[in-house]
Amino acid sequence: MGTVFVTVGSTSFDDLIESVTSVESVQTLKACGYERLVLQVGRGSLLPSADICPHISLEAFRFKNSIAEDIKRADLVISHAGAGSCLEALGAGKPLLVVVNDKLMDNHQLELARQLNMDSHLLYCTCRTLTETLRTMDLSVLQPFLPGQPKLFANFLDKALGV
Amino acid sequence: MALLMGLVLAVFVVGLSLIIRVYVVVKAGSKCRPGTEGSVAVLAVAGSGGHTTEILRLMECLSAAYTPRHYVLADTDKMSEDKIHNFEGSKQHSDSQFIIHRIPRSREVQQSWSSSVISTLKALWYSVPLVFRLRPDVVLCNGPGTCVPLCAAGLLLGILGMKKVLIVYVESICRVHNLSMTGKILYTISDYFFVQWSSLKDKYPKSIFLGRIV
């Protein structure tokens, strides 16, 4: 059973929750083979109940200590542009669709999401284009995101400091 | 009139010699090799959330020669302390020492400029005695506002000729084209300044680019 995990991080992003639970989005997700939708809605004013989408199994919660388990169980992660959420999903090796909140202008967090999109590590859209993106997206173009190498840092420092 | 001129001249001379002194202290960084004389005392600045995760990823790869390890947290940060205890507890060489210290936070996210200045001065008030007491060989930091007063205190140790403290700064992976506010401030006074995207290396030639390191 294909699972989609949606996360908005520590903030709120009602537009995303609204878009992803819209009739068109849910139908598109179903058509793509996803049957379960898990929403982490943060401080948002929307906390959808399980019965608002009759065609898909839906769960929603505000916060958890760790969303690692939800990411692990997901086949697709839809996330806000926050660096923490993006890196966590990519680090777990999950296909990631980042939805940009165009109401937040000049948000420095966008810088990372944009770059990772240019490097083909994630897909990128806005709430308005979400359904269209879900319909046309090709997850096979995504490149794996290799973990950073702190060992290189340690080696450099050892040499510089004479350790 | 002569008195005024004398005063202006005195301020100018003091200012100029201070700048020269700072320049000399920062330049001395490449010749400072504390590892050749035994263990290296590290003061790591843990910020909130993502910053702490990143700094622990870096600490994880440092060898047992980097001891003792002092962690400094902002006093409003509750999550980092647990993360540090978990991390240090999971280390193999558990005989090595780590100590957690707290100072007031110098800047909350989205705090205004003017009140940031006052809270940074307050954080400096606590940072100077702490750094003077610990006398670390290295201050390692990656961006939370708390870095600035601690690095300033480290620099002051050098200016006073008491100890050269190496300032190692690792810019967060979130920064692709522009340095963070903390990064911009610490770029000039840090001894080793790491960036994780080549576009930043192009813009800031003094920086070190080894690819992604966290």
Side-chain angles (χ1 to χ4, degrees):
Chain A
M1 186 165 80
T3 299
V4 178
F5 177 55
V6 181
T7 175
V8 308
S10 56
T11 55
S12 66
F13 194 177
D14 285 343
D15 288 353
L16 170 59
I17 301 303
E18 202 173 321
S19 309
V20 81
T21 52
S22 71
V23 180
E24 303 84 52
S25 284
V26 169
Q27 277 172 353
T28 311
L29 288 174
K30 277 219 72 151
C32 296
Y34 299 107
E35 288 170 339
R36 196 162 155 262
L37 185 57
V38 182
L39 310 171
Q40 184 263 317
V41 304
R43 292 192 201 131
S45 58
L46 294 174
L47 184 65
S49 60
D51 50 2
I52 68 151
C53 300
H55 306 293
I56 205 160
S57 143
L58 186 139
E59 283 166 45
F61 63 91
R62 288 196 179 277
F63 293 107
K64 276 185 192 170
N65 278 338
S66 164
I67 54 167
E69 206 41 51
D70 294 286
I71 289 176
K72 210 171 110 191
R73 268 187 266 141
D75 301 289
L76 170 68
V77 177
I78 300 179
S79 165
H80 73 128
S85 306
C86 292
L87 294 173
E88 197 171 354
L90 291 178
K94 297 296 175 176
L96 174 63
L97 170 60
V98 166
V99 182
V100 176
N101 190 350
D102 37 19
K103 285 182 187 157
L104 293 179
M105 296 306 276
D106 203 30
N107 181 345
H108 82 260
Q109 303 249 13
L110 292 184
E111 216 176 276
L112 180 68
R114 239 177 240 145
Q115 183 67 41
L116 293 172
N117 172 247
M118 270 161 57
D119 297 344
S120 298
H121 295 304
L122 54 82
L123 299 172
Y124 191 79
C125 70
T126 63
C127 289
R128 243 176 311 128
T129 58
L130 177 63
T131 312
E132 186 55 28
T133 308
L134 288 173
R135 210 190 325 267
T136 56
M137 69 184 179
D138 177 9
L139 298 178
S140 68
V141 301
L142 293 178
Q143 299 293 318
F145 183 76
L146 302 173
Q149 292 180 286
K151 196 76 207 141
L152 294 178
F153 165 79
N155 291 345
F156 185 100
L157 214 57
D158 282 353
K159 222 167 146 192
L161 270 53
V163 171
Chain B
M1 192 64 194
L3 191 71
L4 191 68
M5 287 280 280
L7 201 66
V8 169
L9 193 69
V11 168
F12 178 75
V13 169
V14 170
L16 189 69
S17 44
L18 190 65
I19 290 169
I20 294 172
R21 180 69 191 146
V22 169
Y23 180 79
V24 168
V25 169
V26 173
K27 272 282 160 200
S30 56
K31 289 183 213 86
C32 177
R33 295 165 65 81
T36 54
E37 291 150 31
S39 61
V40 179
V42 181
L43 189 154
V45 188
S48 48
H51 285 303
T52 305
T53 310
E54 286 192 5
I55 209 96
L56 291 180
R57 295 254 298 144
L58 296 172
M59 293 297 284
E60 201 176 358
C61 277
L62 296 182
S63 70
Y66 294 83
T67 189
R69 293 179 300 284
H70 300 280
Y71 293 93
V72 182
L73 315 180
D75 55 5
T76 54
D77 184 5
K78 290 167 189 67
M79 265 163 70
S80 291
E81 181 156 2
D82 296 339
K83 279 190 186 170
I84 293 165
H85 276 291
N86 284 342
F87 162 71
E88 285 285 348
S90 67
K91 277 190 134 181
Q92 277 123 17
H93 40 86
S94 51
D95 55 321
S96 57
Q97 2 165 351
F98 77 98
I99 305 112
I100 292 177
H101 311 270
R102 292 180 171 277
I103 61 166
R105 184 178 287 275
S106 67
R107 185 171 183 268
E108 293 286 355
V109 173
Q110 292 182 336
Q111 190 181 336
S112 80
W113 252 104
S114 51
S115 73
S116 293
V117 170
I118 293 171
S119 48
T120 300
L121 285 176
K122 189 177 156 207
L124 190 62
W125 180 258
Y126 287 88
S127 301
V128 170
L130 181 67
V131 174
F132 274 52
R133 184 163 56 85
L134 300 179
R135 292 185 172 228
D137 295 302
V138 174
V139 173
L140 172 64
C141 57
N142 70 341
T146 313
C147 300
V148 178
L150 289 163
C151 290
L155 184 66
L156 189 61
L157 269 176
I159 292 172
L160 297 175
M162 293 162 75
K163 171 152 192 175
K164 169 65 190 173
V165 179
L166 290 168
I167 298 173
V168 179
Y169 184 84
V170 179
E171 185 60 287
S172 165
I173 189 155
C174 306
R175 298 298 175 155
V176 182
H177 301 294
N178 297 294
L179 293 182
S180 62
M181 180 60 70
T182 311
K184 281 175 190 156
I185 295 170
L186 295 180
Y187 179 68
T188 42
I189 64 160
S190 58
D191 299 285
Y192 299 99
F193 191 94
F194 294 86
V195 293
Q196 305 196 60
W197 293 97
S198 59
S199 43
L200 277 179
K201 167 73 189 164
D202 298 340
K203 242 182 180 169
Y204 296 93
K206 200 192 93 170
S207 64
I208 302 156
F209 174 63
L210 305 171
R212 269 190 290 119
I213 53 177
V214 294

